[in-house]
Amino acid sequence: MMPDNNPSQPSLTVRELPEMARQIRRDLMKMLLLSKSGHSGGPLGLSDIFASLYFHIMKVDPARPTMPERDYFFLSAGHLCPVWYATLARRGFLPIEELSTLRKINTRLQGHPAPAYTHGVPGIEIASGALGQGLSIAVGCAIGLRLDKKPNRVFCLMGDGELDEGQIWEAAMTAGHHKVDNLIGIVDRNFCQIDNRTDKVMELEPLPEKWAAFGWHVLECDGNDIEQFIETVGQAKALKGKPTVIIAKTFMGKGVSFMEDNYKWHGMPPNEEQAKQALSELPPTKFGDFIEFEWEKASIVAEVKA
Amino acid sequence: MMPDNNPSQPSLTVRELPEMARQIRRDLMKMLLLSKSGHSGGPLGLSDIFASLYFHIMKVDPARPTMPERDYFFLSAGHLCPVWYATLARRGFLPIEELSTLRKINTRLQGHPAPAYTHGVPGIEIASGALGQGLSIAVGCAIGLRLDKKPNRVFCLMGDGELDEGQIWEAAMTAGHHKVDNLIGIVDRNFCQIDNRTDKVMELEPLPEKWAAFGWHVLECDGNDIEQFIETVGQAKALKGKPTVIIAKTFMGKGVSFMEDNYKWHGMPPNEEQAKQALSELPPTKFGDFIEFEWEKASIVAEVKA
Amino acid sequence: MTKLVSRELKATRLGFGEMLVELGRENPNVVVLGGDVTGSVRTDLFAKEFPDRFISVGVAEQDMMCTAAGLAVAGKIPFASAYGEFATGRPFDQIRQSIAYSRVPVKICASHCGITVGPDGATHQSLEDMGIMRMLPHMTVATPCDYLETRKMIRATMSWNHPIYIRFFRDNTPVFTDDATPMTFGKANTLIEGKDVTVIACGLQVWESILAEEELAKEGISVRLLNMHTIKPIDRDAIVKAAKETGAIVTAEDHQRQGGLGGAVAEVLAETIPTPMEFVAVNDTFGESGGGAELMMKYGIAKDDVVRAVRKVLKRKKG
Amino acid sequence: MTKLVSRELKATRLGFGEMLVELGRENPNVVVLGGDVTGSVRTDLFAKEFPDRFISVGVAEQDMMCTAAGLAVAGKIPFASAYGEFATGRPFDQIRQSIAYSRVPVKICASHCGITVGPDGATHQSLEDMGIMRMLPHMTVATPCDYLETRKMIRATMSWNHPIYIRFFRDNTPVFTDDATPMTFGKANTLIEGKDVTVIACGLQVWESILAEEELAKEGISVRLLNMHTIKPIDRDAIVKAAKETGAIVTAEDHQRQGGLGGAVAEVLAETIPTPMEFVAVNDTFGESGGGAELMMKYGIAKDDVVRAVRKVLKRKKG
Ligand SMILES: Cc1ncc(C[n+]2csc(CCOP(=O)(O)OP(=O)(O)O)c2C)c(N)n1
Ligand SMILES: Cc1ncc(C[n+]2csc(CCOP(=O)(O)OP(=O)(O)O)c2C)c(N)n1
Ligand SMILES: [Mg+2]
Ligand SMILES: [Mg+2]
């Protein structure tokens, strides 16, 4: 993929995004099959949001990952990084072949994000993995940009289970207090965490009321509906005087029938059989896979023969 | 003061409490004058609440500080301990003369509360001083009591500035999730913290909405109005199905004109002149002071002579 | 001494999970706190059998530690567990004030410790946990070398009325102790007698050291091996004795070299009997993703590193 | 070497606060985070002159550290400060992941460290902060001995592009260094030459050690005194040289004996040149309320304790 000449232009149209999201899902299944460890559920659920952010919404330039005009993105819930890596690769921040190194020794695709200037991936500003820290970082970054009167926007993606961490509410309070309105928080509201559904582990509702009481504008949307998500981010950008949070309802495991809405897929990779099944539910796209397995070639041969 | 034969009986009537609260305020001024360091403002503001809790509301027995039927009290904002020490002394948990040892080497009256079974004061269950930890402890204690189907109640007093700490909101969420209704939280809403008024340091409003959104019953009252406070605790006890928080509005420095509502008195002791002025605004009570200074004797002599 | 062989591979964390259930059956006051990593730390077994005594606090480790302290105040026997870093570094001040200073006997039990947690990478590889916990007064710090020792330790906490931190691991690892192997907090366990050099190891490095000893024995080097399962209070007598009798010490741990087991041993030696020492430990660096065994080798805490360290310290040993 | 005398009493924290203002004037990217202890840590001076570049986060130290990291990502030069324990132990995991592992050059500056903070008591007396911070890879840990050295250190952080933790104190203490006294991170400063024994001190124990040297000199004991202002990276060369040339070491610090400066020195000696050592430090206990000087004596970290330790280590020194 070529670096953009004008990074403020979306690199894909809204109509093209679903296919890219599907490709990211395919990438995820292949990456996780290869790594034999890592998180399937959250990343699948977030593919639509990541495709939207990186191919349509955010100002980024893969040729200049640290360009001063960039929008800043922080993944607070670091375990979701496989979808970030796949998206960054598809967007040109790293070679797609590298996706096969996820979680392997000496990789840049660490199990949880390592920052670019240690041994991580270009486009990753800072480490995450220990939950609850990213929103504070995003708030600090947004305040720093505002001090310099810069127009850049800051996005921060959080898990819903992650909201159990009190530091999120410290950061929420700080952002509210300082009226940090160049910041958009996104909560991946998939109602799942590791042990169970969120209401079983730790009730979060009424969640919109929580954010509102901490001084935020609150928007809600279907995070698996690309048009709706993009429209909601547009609304968020127009809101002033307070930070805005988008509570994006997603399905964990979205796109793979047997993973959908099932918390047990929080942290498991598919085995070969499951990956085959998953990929069969996610038809190939024009973007092409980063790797073709032996059994895929075989099955294509089989299809041709049939 | 004699140990109660029946600790479920209030040891003072509501009518007697204001005088006890005034005595506690006198004690505070003398303790802090002697210690030359420590917190004046918060403790003065809380004297009415402490008098109410220990002399009227809570089941406690100074002769048996760890009696199984006791109500549990946790002071999350440990820096407020001078008012706790004065109250415990007045209630018979320790000799009132010991109040003159506040913050001195080898004392039990540590600058922040030490638990009874290290070198602290009877009636103090656990250490505090680092803000934000007490509510979690209170929730754990309340859950433990409930597991044993015990009727004891748990009280936890927090500062309002303390609510900046995210751990408070973790604990609030846990209590809401587990519907811990044998727990009453009290927020000392004096609108002051160290650096400034709370809205300057970190906006907390809308505070009732925050607690409600975390799954709590919310009551508000004037924390310097003893009758109102006692009535509000009565209401709190009747509420079921959720934990209850009482947002008690107090004035920092209450009872001493030049300290009232002034955040600068958060952490300062009075000097001799200030203590004299303060004591002159807090007339002596029937309970008697724990110490008489030379200059008091002199002034009594002076009065007699006049 | 019977030869130390690996009879099977089994995870230390499973020993924890199973023993919790046994203790839960024996004592109705045992309660367990859950921080949304129940399956990993194997408190799922307890949660299933005793749902009422399993208290979920969500992903909130600070809250977990203080909630545990509160449960103890109410007379319960709380076990709080999480991954190594999130059970120690994340709630450090909470442990310091509400557990250590308050001397509340909460049992902090962490799984997934050290670099061997593997593919999750640096943020999840706790390499400072023993060091930071041993700095806290009133705190006991211990780490089992295998599944069976984990079971013994967890049981022993029931009569150990102090705050305690126990560190164990994710992977299935060799079980080489047996029911008769002693485990008393604060007392190092001499697994192999020897006279030329002493290896003081803990956790998974005990097994690496057993393998190293085999190799060194072939070269005619007589290695004493201590399983220093309790890092605090550390067994000063065993260390001094080893220094006197063997004159050279190697420590081995899955932990930063600064401040951990090696640091603790160096402190004892410096004020008693200064002795040449080599440290087998992670050398002041964060970890990364990879397989547990791979990482042990890359970061210098595997069998071969113990062998090298022994050779090196023997060269330094005075005639 | 000029004689070391106390020219005046002045607080290290004031040196921090004043220098922040100077740096703020010189560099518009300097920003300061406030955690509701502004007057105590003396960031009030900066807040007054640069209200826009002073960011209040309330009483929320975890948030403070990560907000600082975010400001650094946006190109700012953030100073985050609080009391010792609340600047280190409370946000340990935040510092670990978002500052140390991420290698973000946040400057963590803590006042009210050690037992000398006095009447506030144990919860406010950080006695583990240097130890836990030095366990973190990529982290620099330093502690000034007086007001002037504090100023130098704070200025030096501007060209020190690493995460750094600087520890200073509440009380007014002797100013005995002067403008010419060198301060380079990682390089111990030899304050007094000597040949019988070396005292390696940091922070307020440097002055206590100066007093101790005076007393010992009268007995004819020649004491070398190193101001080990940087605990990490520690000056290995200076330590080895001292061990070789004087054959006996005493460390002195206002900190737990396990894991702190003493621990760091013991680790270096163990793997280089094992040498008898005595530790002047708080002995694995929490502090309590009292006056700073009173507490130094009660907890064994005052001049007399240095004197005693020197005498003791000299007895252990080999002919
Ligand atoms: C501080 C911390 N505690 C615990 C964990 C372990 N952990 C990783 S993901 C996760 C669940 C988070 O739930 P959510 O944010 O909803 O993510 P999802 O399951 O939806 O992917 C937990 C507990 C962690 N990474 N960091
Ligand atoms: C974890 C922690 N951070 C900082 C402090 C220092 N501190 C003590 S009291 C206080 C202000 C608290 O404000 P509030 O709770 O409103 O108490 P008030 O001023 O009303 O007495 C602060 C920041 C502390 N004790 N603990
Ligand atoms: Mg979720
Ligand atoms: Mg207040």
Side-chain angles (χ1 to χ4, degrees), chain B residues 106 110-111 131 165 195 201, chain D residues 36 38 56 61 90 289 298:
Chain B
N106 300 322
Q110 292 290 306
L131 294 168
E165 286 286 357
D195 277 359
V201 177
Chain D
D36 196 27
T38 304
S56 170
E61 295 81 6
R90 185 65 170 248
S289 292
K298 177 161 176 182

Side-chain angles (χ1 to χ4, degrees), chain B residues 37 39 103-107 110-112 119 127-133 161 164-165 167 193-196 200-202, chain D residues 35-39 54 56-61 83 86 90 119-124 287-291 294-295 298:
Chain B
S37 89
H39 300 78
R103 288 179 161 246
K104 302 239 163 90
I105 200 158
N106 300 322
T107 183
Q110 292 290 306
H112 293 83
H119 57 304
S128 59
L131 294 168
Q133 303 188 24
D164 300 352
E165 286 286 357
Q167 192 188 346
Q193 56 195 109
I194 296 184
D195 277 359
N196 211 320
K200 293 288 188 303
V201 177
M202 186 51 58
Chain D
D36 196 27
V37 287
T38 304
F54 176 81
S56 170
V57 297
V59 196
E61 295 81 6
Y83 300 161
F86 308 143
R90 185 65 170 248
D120 275 338
T123 57
H124 284 52
E288 64 172 297
S289 292
E294 267 176 337
L295 290 170
K298 177 161 176 182

Side-chain angles (χ1 to χ4, degrees), chain B residues 42 79-80 158-162 187-194 196 198 204 250 252 266, chain D residues 36:
Chain B
H79 68 281
L80 301 168
M158 296 160 269
D160 52 0
E162 186 185 17
V187 173
D188 176 28
R189 188 65 172 122
N190 61 9
F191 294 89
C192 292
Q193 56 195 109
I194 296 184
N196 211 320
T198 52
L204 289 167
T250 68
M252 183 172 267
H266 158 92
Chain D
D36 196 27

Side-chain angles (χ1 to χ4, degrees), chain C residues 95-118:
Chain C
I95 295 171
R96 181 180 192 269
Q97 170 169 290
S98 296
I99 297 176
Y101 176 50
S102 294
R103 238 196 261 156
V104 174
V106 171
K107 298 154 200 338
I108 303 167
C109 299
S111 179
H112 290 50
C113 295
I115 206 161
T116 51
V117 66

